[in-house]
Structure formats: C-alpha cells, structure tokens
DNA sequence: CTGCTCATGTAATAGGTTACATGATTGC
DNA sequence: GCAATCATGTAACCTATTACATGAGCAG
C-alpha cells in the first residue's frame, strides 16, 4: 500500500496505542526501501493523484518475524505530562488545577465512548468467541484501552475531589 | 542542585511517569544556562568529587510558571509497544505470546507492589488528610500509578486466558 | 471560487538513547 | 586489589514533530 494508505490505517486502528505523522511514514518507507525491506512502484493514472505503492519483500517479512520473536524484556516506559504538571502544582491555584483536570476528564470520557462504540460495532464485548484469531488480538488492544480510560476517569474524579477539598 | 542530584531525585520520585538519562539532564542544564534559566558554579573540594551546582534564576522560575499557566489541551499520547506486538501477533505461536504476557505480568505486579509500598510508607492510603499540599499532588501521581497497574494486570490475566483458549 | 480530501515529499528542529570516556572515593 | 558509588561530560545516532511546499480533483 501507499504511505497515505498506511497513515489512514494507523489512524483508524492503532492510533490509541501507536501513532505516526505522515512525514515520518514517508521518510521511513524510503529508508526501508534502501534497506531492502520493501520495494515500491510509482503509479501515474489519469484522473487519479500520483501514488507510490510499497510491497513488503521476503527480507521485510523476515525482519518483522525477527522482531516478534524477540519478546519484550521491559515494561513500556510512561510519559504522562499531566502528572508532571500535577507534581509541580504546589504553588498553583486550585481552581486552575481543577479546570485542567475537568478538561482532561472530558477528553478521556470521549475517548472511552469511542472505545465503547468500537466494541459495540464489533459485536458483543462479552462474546468475542466468534472472532477470527487476528481480530481477537485487535480486540484485546481495545480492551486495554477501555480499562485504561475507566481507571483514568476514576482517578480524575478522585483527584478533582481532592483538590476541591484543599 | 547538580545534574547528578537531579537524576537521583527524578529516579526516586517521577520515574514512574517521567524519566531522563543523565546525558539528557547534563546537556539540557547547559542549554538552560545559555538561555538564562539557570546559573551554575563549579565546586572543587578536597576529598570530594567535583560538582557543578545549578541555581534557578527569576527567568527560570517565570518560565516554569508560564508553562504551568498554559493548561494541557490534549491527552498525553500513548506508545505501548506490547500492544503493537499483540496487534501483529496473528501469525505467532500462542505459547510464545503467553510467555511474553506472563513476563509482563510479573513486571507489572512488581511495579504495583512498589507503589503499594510507597503509599504504606506515606501513611495510610485512605487518610491522606494530614499531608501537606505539595505531598498531596505527589500522592495523586502514585494513585494513578496504582489504578493503572491494577487495570493493566486485570487486562493481562484476561488476555492470557483469551490466548490460552485459542 | 473556496474549502476539503487525496497524495507526496523535504527541511529544520527537538527530543531521546546508547556508547564512549574519565577520574576520585569508599567499603569489602 | 576490586567493585560500587559519586560525579561529569561528549558523540553518534535514532526517533519524532512542526513547518514548508506542491498540486489535482470534487462538492457546494
């Protein structure tokens, strides 16, 4: 597929746990072509925009397999800017902190609803038995998203209350 | 304080939501000095290693305050490598996926216990009333850590079961 | 004719990791 | 004598973001 296609697919599938800008995708595809992981063909059609279509090579497939065969040894590191801000909020005014937490609450609630819509669209969240093997893994990534957003929202409510009580 | 001190403090307070390597700290402190946010004095004492001590300037304080005054508009983006791996696990053997998830389970359980020890050391998690304003915010960051690790562990158990049933 | 989507790229900069490199002191 | 801790830094590289830049087609 093309860089543009890849970007669309990323935005509609992995965006909640891994994202990339189009500039990164285009440059990385070119790099991967130099490394022999993919090949490309430039397609010019009348009435259609130009596209550069990439195909994965055997080397590319082997590289992906090689990566999957080396299991993660560490936990993914976390960078949560809101916690940095909260950590340094000792001198801030409570109402400003509360406003910021409430804004985050709205965002996380919206995200939770998006995940809930996805699971509803996939069928019943309690019966993923009928799904194909590949879909199950994608379903699992959404499940972590759901749990994460629920936990985050509970924490936001608890923390808003805490700041209100100061 | 010195770059070394800063690294120690980061490692023992914010490491669970924000970390930095010493190389990054040293280079950024130098940069901040050029920008006038901090000043430094090099200290040579007999029987003591050399240290470069930094002091924040009024400009530096204003910059921090300015940053805190501009509330976050977006959610912190997430990069969760384990989910990327799971997403592409359609062709992997179940027992390898399970082994990887179980290893992550051990890591997250350990992390949860660390957070629990911290809250126990801070007193009773249910009575943070006596804490000072600043400590409350730090306490809040640990609370999100607790909720996050609990949610993550529940998801790991659910997902391990799902893969076992394939 | 205006704005949106499709489609591709480059350049400059910022942020972050790993490896290289040195040297003193302290405890076993 | 050796390992660990204290203490500082640079260099190379990789990863990622933001801005710059172009152009076609389509819908209102």
């Amino acid at each position: 597929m093309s860089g543009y296609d890849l970007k669309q697919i990323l935005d509609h599938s992995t965006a909640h746990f891994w994202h990339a800008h189009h500039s990164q995708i285009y440059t990385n595809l070119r790099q991967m072509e130099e490394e022999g992981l993919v090949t490309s063909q430039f397609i010019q059609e009348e009435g259609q925009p130009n596209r550069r279509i990439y195909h994965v090579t055997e080397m590319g497939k082997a590289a992906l397999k090689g990566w999957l065969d080396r299991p993660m040894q560490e936990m993914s590191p976390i960078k949560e800017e809101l916690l940095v801000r909260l950590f340094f909020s000792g001198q801030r005014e409570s109402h400003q902190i509360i406003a910021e937490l409430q804004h985050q609450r709205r965002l996380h609630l919206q995200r939770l609803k998006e995940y809930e819509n996805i699971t509803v669209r996939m069928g019943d969240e309690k019966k993923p038995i009928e799904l194909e093997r590949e879909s199950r893994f994608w379903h699992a990534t959404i499940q972590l998203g759901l749990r994460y957003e629920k936990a985050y929202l509970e924490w936001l409510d608890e923390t808003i209350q805490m700041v209100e009580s100061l």
Side-chain angles (χ1 to χ4, degrees), chain A:
Chain A
M1 59 183 74
S2 68
Y4 189 89
D5 296 337
L6 253 154
K7 171 70 174 149
Q8 301 307 307
I9 286 184
L10 254 56
D11 286 349
H12 294 101
S13 62
T14 73
H16 61 292
F17 58 87
W18 202 272
H19 62 92
H21 292 263
H22 76 271
S23 57
Q24 206 185 345
I25 292 169
Y26 286 121
T27 48
N28 283 342
L29 282 171
R30 280 291 168 102
Q31 227 172 283
M32 286 164 81
E33 193 170 16
E34 273 180 48
E35 291 165 11
L37 304 176
V38 295
T39 55
S40 80
Q41 36 182 156
F42 194 69
I43 295 177
Q44 283 171 302
E45 280 180 273
E46 282 170 58
Q48 295 285 95
N50 294 339
R51 314 178 78 236
R52 183 175 297 277
I53 307 291
Y54 288 89
H55 301 267
V56 65
T57 61
E58 286 307 311
M59 242 182 91
K61 284 181 194 172
L64 174 61
K65 196 173 173 302
W67 178 70
L68 288 169
D69 283 344
R70 270 171 278 112
M72 276 179 76
Q73 300 296 315
E74 312 288 334
M75 287 168 50
S76 288
I78 295 173
K79 291 230 154 171
E80 190 64 32
E81 190 180 326
L82 188 68
L83 293 189
V84 182
R85 296 177 60 79
L86 206 62
F87 187 79
F88 290 108
S89 289
Q91 307 295 314
R92 287 173 85 198
E93 281 188 58
S94 293
H95 71 269
Q96 283 186 2
I97 304 170
I98 291 165
E100 184 163 13
L101 293 173
Q102 275 168 345
H103 179 64
Q104 288 289 316
R105 194 186 185 285
R106 282 191 292 276
L107 296 174
H108 282 278
L109 190 61
Q110 197 190 317
R111 179 68 62 90
L112 176 62
K113 282 178 184 165
E114 284 165 21
Y115 293 162
E116 280 170 350
N117 283 338
I118 292 170
T119 54
V120 168
R121 259 183 278 131
M122 285 193 80
D124 186 354
E125 352 170 13
K126 279 160 195 160
K127 292 182 202 162
I129 299 301
E130 311 85 35
L131 296 171
E132 300 299 321
R133 186 177 166 88
E134 297 213 354
S135 328
R136 299 270 194 104
F137 291 112
W138 184 67
H139 184 260
T141 69
I142 302 292
Q143 292 303 313
L144 182 57
L146 283 167
R147 286 186 187 275
Y148 174 78
E149 295 305 338
K150 282 176 189 166
Y152 209 112
L153 281 165
E154 284 171 24
W155 173 81
L156 279 168
D157 287 338
E158 171 188 295
T159 306
I160 289 166
Q161 270 194 37
M162 181 276 280
V163 183
E164 277 170 349
S165 76
L166 288 179

